[in-house]
Every structure is written in structure tokens, then in C-alpha cells.
Amino acid sequence: MRYILFLIISIFCFHSLWAQNISVASFKVLPTDLDARVNFPVKDQNGDVCALIKVVTTESGFSWDGDQLGIVKVERKVSEYWLYVPFGAKKLTINHANLGQLRDYRYPLAIEKAVVYEMKVLSGQEKKTVIPVNPTWVTMRSNPEGADVYINDVLRGKTPLPIKLMPGKYTYRLEKPLYRRDAGNFEVSGQEKDGKKDVLSDLKPAFGTIKINTSPEQGATVLIDDIETDKTTPFIGERIKSGTHIITVKKDQFQPKSIEINVKDGETTEETITLISTAVNLTIETQPVADIFIDGKFVSNGKYQGKIQAGLTTFEAKKESYYTDKKDIEVRQGEPLNLILTVQPKQGNVNILSNPIDAKVFLNGQDKGITPLTLQKLLIGSYELKIEKKGYTSSIKNITVEEDKTIEINETLVGDKKVTAKAQVEEKRNEKAKDQDFIKDQPKTQILPDKQIDTPKYSADYYKYKKGKTTWLISAIVSAGVGTYSYLQSGTYYDQYQTATTDAESIFNKAKLFNSISPVAFAVAGLCTVEFILKSGKQSKAKKQTIGFNVVPTPDGAFFGLAYRF
């Protein structure tokens, strides 16, 4: 029984020692090894290129088990095994008949597509020198920033880009539109200071500047490689990609022209393009003065000088109450065009009679003669007609002259009311004079005291004090109102101040201001009230001094008497 127990313990201890005879000395990326990508690529079941793990060992007889993604292919090479595993694999189990098993070894690096890794495996008979694996933060920087960063041909982000890498050699590539590509390599030792390393790249511009001018005139539209810009000459184009470009300029009344221009890195290229005119010199006059239109577009009034594109063109002269003169002309290049456009009037006639005759006629304020009168060849349209004669009221009316028609006007003038009114005034004046002469001739009549009517007339002081009393009363009411309002506002702001937070100081100042106004306003109201009382007393005293008008009737009329009472 003891022998069997000793045998079991011995087998267990041997198995434990056996399992410890396999170890991984190092695991790293081989950035310049292209066996997985170019020389000996293998694809997994999804069609993706596998990663290749080159297991370096002096032993043979190993077998390999992957994680749930499995192992696609295993090849035995001299002093190493090639394991093709899918990207994203996490761990590996190593088996050996004599050395035992290393279960669930986790890869220290992420397994990427088409990348070659090296894993050194040691057995119990080999010297185990395990190099510590220290990851390093590598920051990829560029000037300018924003460049795409490729590490071992894998896009990892844009600069500035911090990325954590295990010790090893790496290739990088930086790409940015309008800048030259920069590529190189760097090595991570794992012993960098503070565990950080910077890789800086100054990107060289792959663009330049162009300046385009046109002669004899500027203002031409600029196209670059048949793409229209939103600018005209003189044109400055910055950050134009280096290389050859086709520059085209276009301007109305000139022949379009294209040139080839070579843009160099960081340099300015300037060109002046000479344009050939396709326009024709044009002069237009109208008789009489009228609006000028070219192809339906208004250009001037009376006279126009300019340039026009060759081709069939419509010229028009337009004027109100005139016939339009329209001409379609084939304008030929190199042949100046002088053109006269004539507009013909649209006319009508007016016959004017009045009763009485010999009245003056005015048309739109212009004296045209005396009635009877015929006005011929008037332009069609509306006019103001005025007919006037001394001693009569003027007749004013609007008339409309129509083309090729004669209007008949027959006006009867009415006697001037001002003349009649003047005669009536003169007649009344004469009647009044007669009445005054009659009164002078009448005998004196006895005054009847019992028929007197006393109408009081107050003194000037009475009205002065009355006006002053009203002024002081209004002032007192206004001042009292201001004082009451200020007192109420002061209380309101003090209540708000008790609960205020951020604006407490502002509310307190407002409360303080209204609190200072209210006593002043009440004081002014009191003074105004005193003045009101004083003016009221003076008004009462002045009221006793009155002037009386006494109307004294008599059998033949009435007389007025004046009395003053104290």
C-alpha cells in the first residue's frame, strides 16, 4: 500500500516538473518581415490574411492548440514552427510528449492581420533568460498636425497620436492631403525614460500659389482644370496642388483662353493672359430723347456708347405716348455700329369753346390762347385744362387726349362770387352809415333805472390770482403723487432686498434712491399747498372789485352805462 502511494506521489511530482519544462522567453513583432503579407500568405475561413507566429525552439515534437478562433495552419521549419492564426486570437496552448504542457499562454500583443510575430520557447534543458516586456507610450507628431498615421502599414489614427507599443522595430508612414508622404522606422527598447517616446515628422508642402492677371482688362472668371472658382482676375490661388494644371479665363466680349501652368512646392507662379476682344464699338442716339434697350435690357436714355458682342441683336427706343422704334441688326465683328432710333408721337386734337368767349386757356399751366381755340397734334395722355376770364370763376378740369381723336370742350363760366360779396359789403356799410345818422338826429330819452341790467366784469388782479392758484394746486398734486410713488417703490425694493442673492446691491441702491426722493417730493407738495391757499385768499379779495355794465333801455333803443364797485 505504501509503495502504491509513493508511486502516485512520484508520478504527480514528475508531472509537475514536466509541466514546468516549457516557457516563453519573448514575444515581439517583426515589422520588416513580409512572409505573412507577401511571401507566404494564408487566409482564414473568412478570407482574411492570417497573422504568422514564428515559434523559435531547439526542440521538436510540439503540438499546438489555439483558442476558440483556432489555428489555420502549422508548418515545421528549421529551428522554428510557423503558426498561422486568425487576427484577434488571444491565447495558445503548447503540448510536448516529454516536456509537458504550457496551457492558455496569453499573447502580450494584439494579433493583427498579415503581421509576423516571433515567440521564443525554452525547454527545461535550455537556459531560461526571460527579458521583461515593458510597453512604451509612443506619440506620433507631425507639423502640421492632422496627418494619417500608419504603423506597420496599419492605419492607427491622426497626429498627434499616442499609441502604446511593445519593444521592437516598427515602420511608420504619415500622409496628409497637399503634403508629401513621410515614412521611416523607429525602435522601442522598453527602457525609454518615463516609458515615453516621441516620433516627430515635418511634412513638406505639396502645393504652391498661383497669381493670374488678364490684359487688357481684369475681371475675367478663372477656372482651374475646368472647375470654376468664385474669383475673378486679378486672381490669387493658394494651396494649389503641385503639378501641372490647366488655367482657363473667361470674360464677356472676349475670347476664352487656356494656358498650362506648373505649380511647384512652396513657390508662387505668376502669369498674365492676354485676351482677344470679340466686342464691337456701338453708338446709339434717339430722336427725340427716349429710353434705349438692347435685347430687352435698359442701357441708357437719349444716347449710348459702349461695346457689344457680335451677333443678331435687338435695339429698341421707348418713350411714353410714342410708338416704339425696334430694329433687329446682325452685328459683325470688327465693324463699328452707329445707330439712330426715331420714336413717332401718338397724337390727338382738342376744340375748346367758352361762354362768354375770349377766355384764356391754360394746358398744364401753359398759356395756349383764348377761346374759341383748337389745339392740334397733342400727345396722348392726361392734361389739366384751365379756362379763366376776369369777373368769372375759373373752370378747371382734367381731360384725356386719345390717339387720332378730337375732344370737344364747351364751358359756361359763372360770375365771380368774390365780386358779388364785395358789393354786398359795400351796401351794408352804406346802410349802417344811414342808421348812425338817424340816431344822431333823435331827441334824448329819459333813462329808466328800474330796467337796468348789471353784468359784472372782474379786475385784472382777480384773473392773475386765479391763474396762480390753479398753477400751485397742480404743482401740489404732482409733487404729492411723486412722493407717494417713491415711498411705495422704496418699500417694494426693500422687500426684494431681503430675499435677493446675486443682485442684492443693485436692489438696495434703488430702494435707497426712492427713499431719498419721497421726503423731498412731500416737502415741495406742502409748499405748493401753502401758496395755493394764499392765492385763493387774494383771489377772493380781488373778486369784490368789479366793473358793471348797465344797459338802460329807452322807448327808442338802449344806452350803456359803466359802473365800478369796491
Side-chain angles (χ1 to χ4, degrees):
M1 187 63 179
R2 290 178 180 178
Y3 176 75
I4 294 174
L5 181 60
F6 174 77
L7 181 60
I8 293 173
I9 294 174
S10 298
I11 292 173
F12 176 77
C13 292
F14 177 75
H15 182 270
S16 299
L17 293 173
W18 188 22
Q20 295 175 356
N21 284 335
I22 301 176
S23 63
V24 176
S26 65
F27 191 95
K28 64 181 181 179
V29 176
L30 301 179
T32 59
D33 194 328
L34 301 179
D35 285 344
R37 181 179 299 275
V38 179
N39 300 326
F40 309 101
V42 174
K43 294 184 178 181
D44 61 15
Q45 60 182 2
N46 296 321
D48 296 319
V49 178
C50 293
L52 173 57
I53 302 175
K54 294 184 176 181
V55 182
V56 180
T57 180
T58 57
E59 298 289 338
S60 60
F62 285 100
S63 63
W64 318 88
D65 293 325
D67 54 12
Q68 59 183 2
L69 297 179
I71 298 176
V72 176
K73 184 178 180 181
V74 177
E75 292 185 0
R76 178 67 171 125
K77 303 290 185 179
V78 177
S79 72
E80 62 184 17
Y81 286 86
W82 286 14
L83 308 181
Y84 289 93
V85 299
F87 79 94
K90 302 296 183 183
K91 56 187 178 179
L92 176 71
T93 297
I94 307 173
N95 303 297
H96 194 278
N98 298 322
L99 301 177
Q101 183 184 66
L102 178 60
R103 187 184 300 278
D104 293 338
Y105 169 73
R106 289 192 169 273
Y107 303 119
L109 301 178
I111 303 301
E112 305 286 351
K113 296 179 183 179
V115 177
V116 178
Y117 303 87
E118 180 188 77
M119 184 174 71
K120 289 186 178 181
V121 176
L122 298 179
S123 64
Q125 290 77 19
E126 296 176 307
K127 183 179 180 180
K128 299 181 181 179
T129 304
V130 179
I131 301 175
V133 179
N134 296 319
T136 299
W137 282 105
V138 178
T139 301
M140 305 298 298
R141 304 180 186 274
S142 68
N143 184 24
E145 297 179 345
D148 292 333
V149 179
Y150 291 83
I151 303 293
N152 293 341
D153 293 328
V154 178
L155 178 63
R156 306 301 293 270
K158 292 182 179 293
T159 57
L161 174 68
I163 183 171
K164 200 170 186 180
L165 298 174
M166 296 299 293
K169 293 182 179 181
Y170 298 87
T171 62
Y172 72 88
R173 185 173 79 253
L174 300 182
E175 295 181 356
K176 183 176 176 65
L178 295 179
Y179 286 87
R180 298 295 179 187
R181 176 187 297 178
D182 185 36
N185 56 68
F186 62 89
E187 184 174 0
V188 177
S189 66
Q191 304 300 319
E192 284 77 11
K193 183 179 179 180
D194 298 328
K196 298 179 180 179
K197 180 182 181 70
D198 282 356
V199 178
L200 176 62
S201 174
D202 287 323
L203 301 179
K204 296 181 178 180
F207 60 85
T209 300
I210 61 173
K211 294 183 178 180
I212 305 297
N213 297 289
T214 50
S215 177
E217 296 181 9
Q218 300 278 25
T221 302
V222 179
L223 293 83
I224 301 177
D225 297 328
D226 293 330
I227 299 176
E228 186 171 340
T229 66
D230 59 352
K231 298 180 181 179
T232 58
T233 57
F235 172 83
I236 298 178
E238 299 176 334
R239 298 176 68 84
I240 305 300
K241 186 176 181 180
S242 299
T244 301
H245 297 276
I246 302 298
I247 306 299
T248 303
V249 291
K250 294 181 179 181
K251 183 175 175 62
D252 289 343
Q253 301 181 1
F254 287 89
Q255 187 70 26
K257 189 171 183 179
S258 299
I259 64 170
E260 188 177 276
I261 192 170
N262 185 30
V263 179
K264 298 180 180 179
D265 293 351
E267 296 185 8
T268 298
T269 304
E270 186 169 0
E271 293 287 346
T272 298
I273 301 175
T274 301
L275 300 176
I276 299 175
S277 176
T278 60
V280 176
N281 291 326
L282 173 67
T283 300
I284 303 176
E285 293 185 6
T286 63
Q287 297 178 352
V289 174
D291 292 337
I292 301 172
F293 293 81
I294 299 177
D295 286 335
K297 182 179 179 181
F298 173 78
V299 293
S300 184
N301 178 263
K303 187 174 182 178
Y304 172 77
Q305 288 182 320
K307 295 181 180 294
I308 189 173
Q309 194 76 17
L312 183 62
T313 307
T314 300
F315 301 94
E316 294 177 279
K318 296 182 180 181
K319 186 177 180 67
E320 187 177 1
S321 301
Y322 287 77
Y323 292 101
T324 298
D325 187 7
K326 179 178 179 182
K327 290 181 172 63
D328 293 324
I329 299 176
E330 182 69 34
V331 180
R332 293 183 175 84
Q333 188 170 344
E335 298 180 9
L337 178 61
N338 296 313
L339 184 62
I340 297 177
L341 299 175
T342 303
V343 291
Q344 300 295 334
K346 299 178 181 179
Q347 299 173 332
N349 305 314
V350 180
N351 289 331
I352 305 172
L353 296 173
S354 69
N355 184 20
I357 61 173
D358 297 329
K360 287 187 177 182
V361 176
F362 294 87
L363 196 65
N364 285 349
Q366 294 183 354
D367 189 348
K368 294 296 184 179
I370 61 174
T371 59
L373 179 66
T374 297
L375 300 177
Q376 296 181 337
K377 295 184 178 180
L378 291 176
L379 286 177
I380 64 173
S382 297
Y383 296 87
E384 181 187 77
L385 175 66
K386 180 179 180 181
I387 303 175
E388 66 177 27
K389 186 177 177 66
K390 187 175 181 181
Y392 293 86
T393 302
S394 298
S395 171
I396 301 175
K397 65 191 303 182
N398 293 323
I399 63 173
T400 301
V401 178
E402 298 181 5
E403 186 179 3
D404 297 331
K405 293 183 179 181
T406 299
I407 302 175
E408 300 291 339
I409 304 295
N410 192 346
E411 289 292 313
T412 298
L413 302 180
V414 180
D416 194 344
K417 292 182 180 180
K418 292 184 178 179
V419 175
T420 304
K422 184 176 181 180
Q424 292 175 349
V425 170
E426 189 67 27
E427 183 179 354
K428 289 183 178 180
R429 184 179 295 141
N430 294 333
E431 291 178 354
K432 184 176 181 181
K434 291 179 180 179
D435 291 339
Q436 290 177 349
D437 292 339
F438 173 79
I439 293 173
K440 290 179 181 180
D441 295 336
Q442 297 298 318
K444 294 182 180 180
T445 306
Q446 183 181 2
I447 297 175
L448 303 178
D450 58 331
K451 298 293 185 178
Q452 293 183 7
I453 300 175
D454 186 16
T455 303
K457 175 70 175 181
Y458 299 122
S459 65
D461 288 339
Y462 169 83
Y463 293 102
K464 181 179 70 173
Y465 294 135
K466 180 180 180 181
K467 182 177 180 181
K469 181 183 72 173
T470 303
T471 301
W472 287 110
L473 175 61
I474 295 173
S475 300
I477 294 173
V478 173
S479 300
V482 173
T484 302
Y485 174 80
S486 300
Y487 176 79
L488 295 175
Q489 285 294 103
S490 175
T492 300
Y493 281 120
Y494 272 121
D495 291 340
Q496 294 180 3
Y497 172 73
Q498 300 300 322
T499 58
T501 55
T502 57
D503 55 348
E505 183 178 357
S506 174
I507 295 174
F508 177 80
N509 290 334
K510 292 179 180 179
K512 187 177 180 181
L513 174 63
F514 282 108
N515 190 47
S516 63
I517 292 174
S518 59
V520 175
F522 285 130
V524 172
L527 291 175
C528 292
T529 302
V530 171
E531 285 294 330
F532 167 76
I533 295 172
L534 293 176
K535 289 294 185 291
S536 298
K538 291 180 179 181
Q539 181 191 9
S540 299
K541 184 177 180 181
K543 186 176 182 181
K544 297 177 180 180
Q545 300 174 354
T546 61
I547 299 176
F549 289 93
N550 299 316
V551 182
V552 183
T554 67
D556 300 316
F559 294 94
F560 292 92
L562 177 65
Y564 184 77
R565 183 176 62 188
F566 294 92

